[in-house]
Amino acid sequence: MEKIIELKNITKEYDGEKVLDNINLDIYDKEFVTILGPSGCGKTTTLRIIGGFEMPDEGDCIFDGKRINDVPAYRRHVNTVFQKYALFPHLNVFENIAFALRLQKVPEREIVTRVQEMLELVALKGFEHKKVTYLSGGQQQRVAIARALINQPRVLLLDEPLGALDLKLRKDMQKELKNIQTRTGITFIYVTHDQEEALTMSDTVVVMSEGRIQQIGTPTDIYNEPVNAFVADFIGESNILDGVMIKDRLARFAGKDFVCVDGGFDPNEPVDVVVRPEDVDFVDVEKGMLTGTVTSVNFKGVHYEFIVDINGFKWMIQSTDFVEEGREIGLYIEPDAIHIMKKSEYSGLYGDYSSYSDELDELSNADDVEE
Ligand SMILES: Nc1ncnc2c1ncn2[C@@H]1O[C@H](COP(=O)(O)OP(=O)(O)OP(=O)(O)O)[C@@H](O)[C@H]1O
Ligand SMILES: [Mg+2]
């Protein structure tokens, strides 16, 4: 595949503060790329630089092999969909979608054909004469997407476009957006702080923190082989332990030696070890590689979520087997469930569930939906 956009050594400061720090990113034609990271990490700023609404202080933005730093937004083959739909309230659905074509003085017959195509694409056939203010949030966002796609941009930038929708609608729209992207073959650059959304929709995920790219990879790469404790913690739940690589394929953590599948570290190199909650099996105490005490149990519908104290470090374990609170239990971990990461500035910050509270977790998820 051809590269369509290249960001090269992009740096951006606001008020003397670096909000983008040496961003390097290649985006390929027809790719669905998601920029994922916590609030304030620089996602929107990155999009605005690609869209031409913001100039980088240093570095280059390349489109189809040509430097476009000085090309104004309206001359780039890029369109944007924002979280707030910004539709024209006085126009109906048809005229909102037709707007760009009217400006370009496209003949009426062609406008009708192209708007019909767009209505079909976003599943809004029959809505053309409705006032946009009467539409639901999800329907308004479809109009915004149709409006952004009608002049056939090469790249569509989407900045948390589903952020204002409730969870159920959001899931439906995720599927639909993915469909639209596949059908049109337009490159999508999608911004979200929702890791599940990023994993379900994308060909490539770009994880950012504090103005820097932490990892670029497929959803499975990012989930299975996080490069550091930040990525491991941000993508799903993770037990992250301090460890040592004794030699290739042998790691020591939690006071024991474990066979693993990683290599390429120095002998006795200090490392971070990630074990996902669903990758730990409960066994009898005498068969356990580790033993621990269950300190809390939560039923999650498909599985139970346990907090297990292993020598003072609290692990999260998910299992369909029920074990009651207070029980001592053995734990078994397959070699390929042990992921070894280099030490980083994020070491020691994440991965222990001592202060974990289910209630707090749900509260923060509720915040996400409201934002
Ligand atoms: N025009 C501006 N002037 C000054 N500071 C800005 C400006 N735009 C962004 N910033 C700052 O730059 C940093 C990155 O902002 P950005 O909007 O790119 O973050 P984000 O990842 O999109 O966050 P969110 O998920 O909250 O939308 C933030 O600290 C923000 O306050
Ligand atoms: Mg933003």
Side-chain angles (χ1 to χ4, degrees):
M1 265 203 286
E2 301 268 305
K3 280 181 201 170
I4 186 161
I5 288 172
E6 294 159 75
L7 299 180
K8 291 197 182 292
N9 309 105
I10 299 270
T11 297
K12 180 78 189 171
E13 284 189 12
Y14 287 120
D15 315 320
E17 184 119 4
K18 243 185 208 168
V19 301
L20 294 182
D21 185 2
N22 197 29
I23 297 292
N24 284 286
L25 177 61
D26 291 344
I27 292 170
Y28 292 83
D29 198 18
K30 302 189 189 339
E31 198 179 13
F32 196 124
V33 179
T34 299
I35 302 176
L36 172 70
S39 185
C41 74
K43 304 181 296 294
T44 296
T45 307
T46 306
L47 271 203
R48 290 177 60 81
I49 285 173
I50 297 171
F53 305 108
E54 204 72 71
M55 283 282 269
D57 296 333
E58 284 168 43
D60 290 322
C61 185
I62 314 280
F63 192 100
D64 264 349
K66 291 190 201 72
R67 187 176 177 274
I68 57 161
N69 288 36
D70 306 314
V71 176
Y74 69 91
R75 295 199 42 213
R76 298 189 182 190
H77 303 280
V78 172
N79 251 338
T80 311
V81 175
F82 300 98
Q83 176 175 340
K84 300 269 180 317
Y85 329 116
L87 299 174
F88 303 115
H90 59 289
L91 298 179
N92 66 17
V93 169
F94 186 100
E95 291 303 328
N96 262 281
I97 298 175
F99 193 78
L101 302 185
R102 292 240 184 269
L103 284 184
Q104 295 159 32
K105 308 256 184 298
V106 172
E108 184 64 27
R109 272 188 45 204
E110 189 183 336
I111 292 183
V112 172
T113 317
R114 283 170 63 183
V115 171
Q116 287 303 337
E117 273 171 28
M118 284 300 125
L119 285 166
E120 202 255 323
L121 184 69
V122 299
L124 278 181
K125 267 200 143 131
F127 284 75
E128 41 273 64
H129 303 299
K130 279 220 174 185
K131 270 185 82 161
V132 289
T133 45
Y134 293 160
L135 300 181
S136 72
Q139 290 164 340
Q140 291 191 32
Q141 196 54 302
R142 286 164 209 259
V143 176
I145 291 159
R147 189 179 59 172
L149 288 176
I150 193 138
N151 52 4
Q152 294 157 338
R154 298 275 310 282
V155 176
L156 189 67
L157 308 177
L158 303 107
D159 195 353
E160 310 231 12
L162 310 182
L165 307 179
D166 67 48
L167 192 62
K168 171 78 173 66
L169 191 53
R170 204 152 132 181
K171 300 247 173 218
D172 294 345
M173 284 292 290
Q174 285 171 11
K175 282 204 204 93
E176 221 162 298
L177 271 176
K178 180 76 199 170
N179 256 328
I180 291 171
Q181 193 264 339
T182 315
R183 279 177 64 185
T184 56
I186 293 171
T187 305
F188 274 31
I189 308 178
Y190 191 95
V191 158
T192 183
H193 59 265
D194 179 336
Q195 47 100 9
E196 202 187 320
E197 189 161 283
L199 296 183
T200 28
M201 300 176 81
S202 325
D203 300 316
T204 303
V205 179
V206 179
V207 184
M208 283 183 73
S209 159
E210 298 171 320
R212 288 193 299 274
I213 293 179
Q214 303 293 327
Q215 188 168 5
I216 303 174
T218 63
T220 25
D221 284 346
I222 299 271
Y223 189 84
N224 290 333
E225 300 299 333
V227 292
N228 61 35
F230 174 83
V231 178
D233 176 75
F234 198 70
I235 310 291
E237 303 293 345
S238 303
N239 304 292
I240 308 175
L241 294 109
D242 202 31
V244 171
M245 250 348 234
I246 296 166
K247 56 178 187 181
D248 281 356
R249 281 161 278 286
L250 189 67
R252 177 172 297 157
F253 57 93
K256 294 273 168 65
D257 291 353
F258 294 83
V259 175
C260 62
V261 296
D262 293 273
F265 296 85
D266 293 338
N268 295 316
E269 182 174 336
V271 291
D272 289 332
V273 179
V274 180
V275 181
R276 297 288 186 184
E278 67 274 21
D279 289 341
V280 183
D281 296 325
F282 288 139
V283 292
D284 294 336
V285 170
E286 56 277 13
K287 289 187 188 144
M289 299 163 124
L290 294 166
T291 53
T293 309
V294 175
T295 63
S296 94
V297 185
N298 269 298
F299 182 56
K300 290 292 196 178
V302 183
H303 58 258
Y304 295 94
E305 188 174 275
F306 303 90
I307 303 297
V308 179
D309 188 319
I310 303 173
N311 298 327
F313 192 92
K314 296 259 187 11
W315 292 52
M316 177 188 278
I317 296 171
Q318 293 164 349
S319 170
T320 48
D321 300 335
F322 178 74
V323 180
E324 70 274 11
E325 202 174 310
R327 252 274 294 281
E328 204 193 349
I329 188 81
L331 301 142
Y332 184 86
I333 310 167
E334 295 281 352
D336 65 357
I338 296 165
H339 308 290
I340 309 294
M341 308 180 299
K342 291 250 175 211
K343 284 279 175 196
S344 72
E345 59 183 304
Y346 300 104
S347 298
L349 296 178
Y350 308 106
D352 168 53
Y353 285 86
S354 293
S355 54
Y356 181 73
S357 148
D358 204 39
E359 236 165 89
L360 273 179
D361 195 43
E362 261 156 38
L363 273 177
S364 74
N365 284 342
D367 284 351
D368 282 358
V369 176
E370 272 164 32
E371 259 175 273

